[in-house]
Structure formats: structure tokens, C-alpha cells
Amino acid sequence: MKKIIYALIYIFILTNFIYAQIAVNQIGYFPKSQKYVFFTTPVESYSIVNDKTYESVYQGKTELWKSNDPSTGHTVYRGDFSDFIKKGTYYIQTENIEKSIKFSIGNFVYDELYNKSLKSFYIQRCGIKLESKFAGEFAHDACHLNDGFYHSLTGKTGTRKVVGGWHDAGDYGKYIVNGAYSVAVMLTGYELFPAGFQSDNIGIPESGNNIPDYLDECQFELKWMLTMQDEDGGLFHKVTEKAFQTLDLKPNEDKKQQFIVIKTTTATADFAIVMAQAGRIYKQYDKKFAKKCKKSALKAWEYLENNPTIIPEGGFKNPEDIHTGQYGDLDDSDERFWAAVELYRTFKKKKFNNYILQNIKKLKLCPEEITWLQVSAFAAINYLKFTKGSECEETKNYIKQELHKFCEKMLAKRNNNGYQVLLNPGDYKWGSLQLALNAGFPLLVGAQEFNDDRYKEVALDQLNYVLGANGMNFSFVTGFGEKSATNVHNRICSLTDNWDIYPGFLVGGPNEDLQDDILKEQFINTTPGLCYIDTRDSYASNETCINWNAILVVYAGYMKGMH
Ligand code: 9MR
Ligand code: 9MR
Ligand code: ZN
């Protein structure tokens, strides 16, 4: 027994020793992309070796990139092999014979990431049977079919049919704020960069129906959201059990009562955003559905007009007897603002533009932290790219200025970071990886607007980071990369342990706030960027979540569309 343990420790040390020092994007790069490799031991030169022939095909020099990177404590040496454009599979080797994980160079390196990160949403589906034909080992009978009970604070009694939608994350709760935000991000990506999102064959029940699978998958969530709107237009905030289920409970075996909590203006505004988008986007595929979305969006706006200040006061807090995710937001003005933008785009009514003009200067348009809690940047981008006419010019110019400032700020931030990620100490919060991807996203638009490729590269650095070019030399997307997350916090893992079957889930990532027991135990004196552990119980660093995968699939679709 002892021998085995020693052997395991030895293998662990060995693999970490071999891999720890050289970080690359473990999926790979387009031939013409910028390509960097990061070393944490001082090396002067390196070679790129063909993974099949073991032939050395390129020699590179390194530079000292960052001494004592505050996020990781690493002194980082950087190699730039952007001029190496030959397609193939390679690894990087140093003068001390240390090897990197292998990676590819090619035009289609992101197609699989797109398919699988989109498929992750199918795996999260609730209320239908998942067939093994599509779900593999994640197949299960329909779950959560019972009606939800109105929580007493809603002032209503009895039950409501709220079947469908995606499980939020590693838990089986369903939350309007996060669900609507996730789809709104996905539809934003779709409208901005449509080329990469068109495939109809990723292997979901709707594949082959002549509607992009991306839209089919979003529609599954949209249909559930429609069940959560009350007669007065307001949205119930969430439907969950009283507390989180145990981690080993299969979805279809989870039968406890589910409760529908009070209506909130934040949920209502998020819903208005996404329904206004859907009303436009689905028109060409499903007229009746699109009409319904439009009507519901207007109804939601009516509720917001009737309730001009946030409900409940101070933002949503769980009732005393409910202990599931809160998605509480102190400030609903950015959600209302984005709703006005999408309603204006869909209905072209002056009153929406007036709302935008009256409120735009009251908001921080491009805050550094872009997340479900802080959505104004998405609103700004959509207004800038999609509104027309003289009545919008001034606002668009203002947005352009703000966007430009943001792009410059992010460029500088990237240049000051050891791994070129838009996260400094203080930024490594719950869901840090999604924060990095989100912070990079406006730069994809900035690159077009200001005709400046440097901005695009900053955005793509975030993807490189998530996929392995980071201080942990680790891919945070399940099933992608030789060293990637496998023991994620998600109750559907109770169906299987085999993550190779359905890869494509992004985890939360390093979390310096150490909000679970394992993080607290392991990382008390650790630099922020390394506070991550690939263990099932670390829900604060290793959970999966629909809004995190939303921005991941947007990047993947963007990349796919580049070819
Ligand atoms: O599984 C829960 C996860 O989805 C949440 O994000 C997380 C934080 O709210 O909580 C998890 O549930 C844990 C609970 O909070 C504390 N006891 C252990 C639970 C995980 O098994
Ligand atoms: O993504 C949420 C993060 O911003 C919060 O800090 C965290 C704690 O409140 O909750 C996260 O959302 C979780 C939700 O509350 C319940 N389902 C799982 C979500 C991801 O961990
Ligand atoms: Zn379910």
C-alpha cells in the first residue's frame, strides 16, 4: 500500500514538474493568431517540436515578461511564436528538456469547443428525458416535473406549472436573473458575429430542423422563462427547493417540493431584455413564438414602468426558509437600461430611446467587472452596433468614447499581467474566469470600431488563459486539454464520472475569497491566481454555471466564425 502511495506521489510530482513551467493554450491557435508561451523558470530559448516526428521546427527566444507577477507570484518569461504559422500538432521544449503540453495550429481548432460548450446546455436541460443518443452517460429520465408551490411571501397560494429550462449550475435551481442574462449574452454574440453560430448538427434533438442548434438550445430556456411571468408582467425571481440538494442526487431522483419566490424588478428587466431580442431573432424561424416573446417583453416593461424603483427595496434576499442561490442585485438600473436598448431595437418606439437618453449618463457604461450583476456594457455595445438614425448619433458617439477608454484601459491591464489576463489581485472572485472572458468581450467590438487588432488580441488572450496559458498550466474547460478540470461541482456528475463523454464545461476558477471549506483549508497563504482546486467539493472554484458557459460558447462561436 505504502509503495503505491509513494509511486502515486512520485508520478504526481513528476507530471507537475514536467508541466508546471511551460504554459500554452492547450487547444491551440489559428495559424495567423498571436501565440505566446509562458515559462516560470528562467530560460533563454526554446524550440517547437512536431509531436509526430519529434523534429524541432522552430527556435524562439524568450524575454523576461513580468517579475513577481502579483496575481501568481511568478516571474514569467515569455516567448512569442506568432510568426510560426505551419499547421500541425506540437509541443514546446526548453534547453533543459522540459516539455509543454501539446497544442495544435490550424483553422478549425475551435470547432469542437463550440460544439461541446453549446452541448453543455443540453446536458443542463430540466423537465425532459435526456436520451443517451444525445446525452451519452448523462442520459436520465425527465426531472422536476411537479408544479412549483408559491412561497407565502408571493401573496399567492397554490401551485404553478414551471417545467423546463436549464438547471442553473451544479445545483438544480432555476433562476430568472441568471437564465435570462445567459441567453441575452448568447443572443448578443449571435447577432454580433452570426457566422460561427449557424451549425445545425451538434447532436441535440432539434439538430437538422433547419434552425441553428444554438437558437434551438436558447429557445428551450426562453420557453421556461415565459412560464415565470405573472399576469401583471412581473417575473418570479426563481424556482428552487428550500435548500441545496446533496451532491450525489440524480436529477430525476430529486423530488422535493419546489418553491416560487417573489417577483423582482431585476428578474423582470433581464427577462424584458432577452424577450425583446428573441422577438427579433426568432421571427424568421417561428413567427408565433417570436410574437409571444415580443408581447411578453412589452408586458414586462409595463411592470417596470409601474414600479420605477427596485423591488424588493434593497434588492432580492432569500426568504428566511429558502437557502438556495440568491442572485440578489442592489441596483437594477443597468438591467432596465439594457431592456430599453433591446426594446428600442425591436419596436423602434421613441419612448425607449428617451429612456436611454435620460439614463445613460447615470450609469457606469463600461465597468471593469462585467457579469450578471453588471450588464451595462452589453447594453452599450448593442446600442452602438445596431441602432440607426440621427436621434441615436450623439449617444453612439458617447458610447464610442467610453468603449475606447475601456479598450485602452484593458490593453494596459493586460500588459501588466504575467499571463495577460484581465484579472489583478482583487479580481479573482467567484467565477473569475467568466469575469476575464467578459472583460475581454467588448474589445472584440472595439477592434472593429477602432480598426485596432491589438484589442482583439487582448480578448483572445482571455481565451488562451482559460484554456491553459495561465499560472496553473491548466485548462479550466472539462475535456479540453491534457490537463483540465475533471472533478467539477455539478450534481449531474452523479450520473457518471466520465467527463470525457461530454466535455465543454467552464468552471468558476481561482477564487481569492476562499468561499468554501476546501479553499480555506488549502490556500490561506496563496497568491490570488492560484486559489483553485479541481475537487468536487470546491463549489466556490470548481462549479459549472450556465452564464459562465454562455460567454465561453460566444467566444467559441466567434472563433469558429473566423473561418
Ligand atoms: O451545491 C451548491 C452550489 O450550487 C452553490 O453554488 C453553493 C453556494 O451557494 O452551495 C452549494 O451547496 C453547498 C452548501 O452551500 C453548503 N453545504 C454543501 C453544499 C454542497 O454540497
Ligand atoms: O455566480 C454567482 C456568484 O457571482 C456569487 O458570488 C455566488 C455566491 O452568491 O453565487 C454564484 O451563483 C451560484 C448561484 O447562487 C447558485 N447556483 C450556482 C451558481 C454558481 O456558483
Ligand atoms: Zn430538473
Side-chain angles (χ1 to χ4, degrees):
M1 188 63 193
K2 245 189 181 163
K3 260 193 190 154
I4 297 175
I5 291 172
Y6 282 131
L8 285 175
I9 291 173
Y10 179 68
I11 290 169
F12 178 77
I13 292 172
L14 196 71
T15 46
N16 279 280
F17 176 74
I18 292 174
Y19 287 137
Q21 290 88 350
I22 311 174
V24 290
N25 174 336
Q26 297 181 22
I27 295 191
Y29 309 86
F30 291 144
K32 288 191 182 145
S33 315
Q34 240 174 37
K35 307 175 203 72
Y36 293 109
V37 50
F38 301 98
F39 304 88
T40 44
T41 46
V43 282
E44 277 174 17
S45 64
Y46 62 95
S47 42
I48 299 177
V49 181
N50 183 307
D51 183 54
K52 298 225 166 61
T53 62
Y54 303 111
E55 209 183 324
S56 168
V57 289
Y58 178 94
Q59 303 298 319
K61 289 253 168 279
T62 70
E63 58 171 332
L64 172 60
W65 169 239
K66 285 289 159 305
S67 301
N68 219 338
D69 169 42
S71 293
T72 55
H74 294 165
T75 290
V76 184
Y77 297 79
R78 186 178 80 166
D80 179 352
F81 57 102
S82 306
D83 59 340
F84 181 70
I85 58 171
K86 195 159 179 257
K87 290 175 200 156
T89 306
Y90 309 96
Y91 57 87
I92 283 173
Q93 185 167 313
T94 66
E95 47 208 30
N96 323 324
I97 327 285
E98 290 157 346
K99 283 160 71 173
S100 78
I101 285 170
K102 63 172 192 255
F103 59 90
S104 297
I105 295 180
N107 288 332
F108 305 104
V109 286
Y110 285 94
D111 290 17
E112 208 39 30
L113 182 67
Y114 174 76
N115 293 342
K116 292 303 189 294
S117 57
L118 177 53
K119 182 83 164 241
S120 77
F121 291 92
Y122 171 72
I123 303 296
Q124 294 291 105
R125 284 192 193 186
C126 181
I128 59 156
K129 183 179 162 72
L130 297 197
E131 292 174 45
S132 57
K133 181 161 58 153
F134 307 118
E137 294 187 24
F138 290 97
H140 62 79
D141 284 338
C143 55
H144 307 111
L145 294 171
N146 293 334
D147 290 352
F149 286 81
Y150 284 114
H151 188 271
S152 57
L153 292 182
T154 59
K156 295 180 186 259
T157 52
T159 62
R160 183 183 184 89
K161 197 168 158 55
V162 287
V163 177
W166 299 320
H167 300 135
D168 186 63
D171 62 319
Y172 297 139
K174 294 184 290 190
Y175 310 80
I176 285 292
V177 166
N178 197 37
Y181 165 78
S182 299
V183 179
V185 167
M186 289 168 78
L187 295 183
T188 297
Y190 182 83
E191 287 194 296
L192 283 171
F193 309 110
F197 298 93
Q198 301 299 325
S199 59
D200 190 23
N201 59 358
I202 72 149
I204 57 174
E206 297 81 1
S207 291
N209 67 356
N210 290 320
I211 302 173
D213 286 340
Y214 192 78
L215 296 185
D216 285 324
E217 197 50 63
C218 288
Q219 193 178 17
F220 189 82
E221 178 75 354
L222 287 161
K223 282 182 177 163
W224 166 71
M225 286 187 244
L226 289 167
T227 71
M228 293 285 283
Q229 186 173 37
D230 201 6
E231 279 78 47
D232 61 0
L235 267 287
F236 296 104
H237 194 73
K238 64 172 174 175
V239 52
T240 72
E241 293 173 4
K242 288 199 166 173
F244 288 119
Q245 308 81 357
T246 56
L247 205 48
D248 58 358
L249 188 63
K250 298 185 171 69
N252 48 309
E253 287 170 3
D254 181 23
K255 308 269 184 193
K256 284 209 184 116
Q257 285 186 351
Q258 294 201 300
F259 291 88
I260 296 163
V261 302
I262 59 166
K263 287 174 278 194
T264 66
T265 48
T266 316
T268 306
D270 279 319
F271 174 90
I273 298 166
V274 77
M275 287 298 157
Q277 292 176 314
R280 291 192 300 272
I281 296 170
Y282 287 86
K283 203 168 97 197
Q284 87 181 87
Y285 299 108
D286 188 341
K287 279 214 173 66
K288 209 170 137 206
F289 176 72
K291 230 170 132 184
K292 193 165 180 192
C293 293
K294 279 199 201 169
K295 211 172 137 198
S296 312
L298 289 176
K299 202 79 198 132
W301 185 259
E302 201 182 298
Y303 178 88
L304 295 172
E305 278 180 334
N306 291 337
N307 297 284
T309 54
I310 190 165
I311 295 181
E313 215 181 301
F316 177 78
K317 289 202 187 64
N318 272 331
E320 263 176 24
D321 57 340
I322 301 280
H323 308 284
T324 49
Q326 191 153 278
Y327 288 112
D329 185 347
L330 295 172
D331 180 4
D332 66 0
S333 62
D334 50 321
E335 286 82 5
R336 287 176 189 255
F337 180 74
W338 189 4
V341 169
E342 299 305 334
L343 287 158
Y344 182 53
R345 289 181 56 199
T346 301
F347 297 100
K348 313 273 182 320
K349 285 222 181 86
K350 216 174 160 183
K351 76 164 177 182
F352 298 119
N353 201 32
N354 289 341
Y355 183 92
I356 293 160
L357 301 185
Q358 279 157 22
N359 288 284
I360 190 162
K361 297 270 165 80
K362 296 183 199 159
L363 288 168
K364 189 146 178 42
L365 260 200
C366 297
E368 272 189 50
E369 200 174 308
I370 301 170
T371 149
W372 63 267
L373 197 63
Q374 230 336 321
V375 304
S376 48
F378 288 105
I381 290 170
N382 275 297
Y383 193 93
L384 176 63
K385 293 297 288 185
F386 295 111
T387 62
K388 293 191 194 81
S390 55
E391 65 279 17
C392 304
E393 272 323 299
E394 209 184 307
T395 310
K396 280 160 77 170
N397 282 333
Y398 171 69
I399 293 175
K400 237 176 139 159
Q401 282 167 25
E402 292 298 303
L403 179 62
H404 192 252
K405 276 191 248 169
F406 179 79
C407 290
E408 283 297 311
K409 199 166 157 191
M410 291 302 113
L411 180 63
K413 188 170 181 177
R414 173 264 198 196
N415 285 334
N416 277 317
N417 184 285
Y419 294 92
Q420 302 178 172
V421 69
L422 298 173
L423 300 170
N424 288 333
D427 300 330
Y428 290 86
K429 299 183 178 158
W430 194 311
S432 62
L433 299 169
Q434 148 266 174
L435 288 175
L437 292 174
N438 275 338
F441 184 68
L443 280 79
L444 291 175
V445 176
Q448 293 178 336
E449 284 299 306
F450 310 113
N451 201 4
D452 191 334
D453 269 355
R454 290 177 311 163
Y455 298 154
K456 187 178 91 186
E457 297 305 341
V458 176
L460 301 192
D461 283 335
Q462 310 316 304
L463 192 57
N464 292 331
Y465 178 86
V466 162
L467 293 169
N470 56 58
M472 304 194 70
N473 192 13
F474 189 80
S475 163
F476 294 102
V477 179
T478 61
F480 283 86
E482 251 176 80
K483 260 181 70 174
S484 64
T486 50
N487 296 306
V488 304
H489 186 87
N490 190 324
R491 282 161 181 77
I492 59 165
C493 292
S494 55
L495 295 162
T496 174
D497 271 334
N498 189 358
W499 278 97
D500 294 341
I501 304 293
Y502 278 118
F505 287 81
L506 175 70
V507 298
N511 178 349
E512 65 186 300
D513 297 331
L514 309 181
Q515 286 149 299
D516 62 47
D517 291 346
I518 304 197
L519 291 177
K520 280 195 192 98
E521 200 178 289
Q522 303 263 337
F523 298 112
I524 207 75
N525 287 316
T526 308
T527 45
L530 306 179
C531 296
Y532 165 82
I533 185 162
D534 185 16
T535 300
R536 194 142 295 178
D537 289 333
S538 181
Y539 50 80
S541 80
N542 212 30
E543 188 165 1
T544 71
C545 186
I546 53 172
N547 85 66
W548 306 341
N549 255 66
I551 191 67
L552 178 68
V553 72
V554 165
Y555 269 79
Y558 169 84
M559 296 303 272
K560 186 162 181 257
M562 281 171 74
H563 286 281

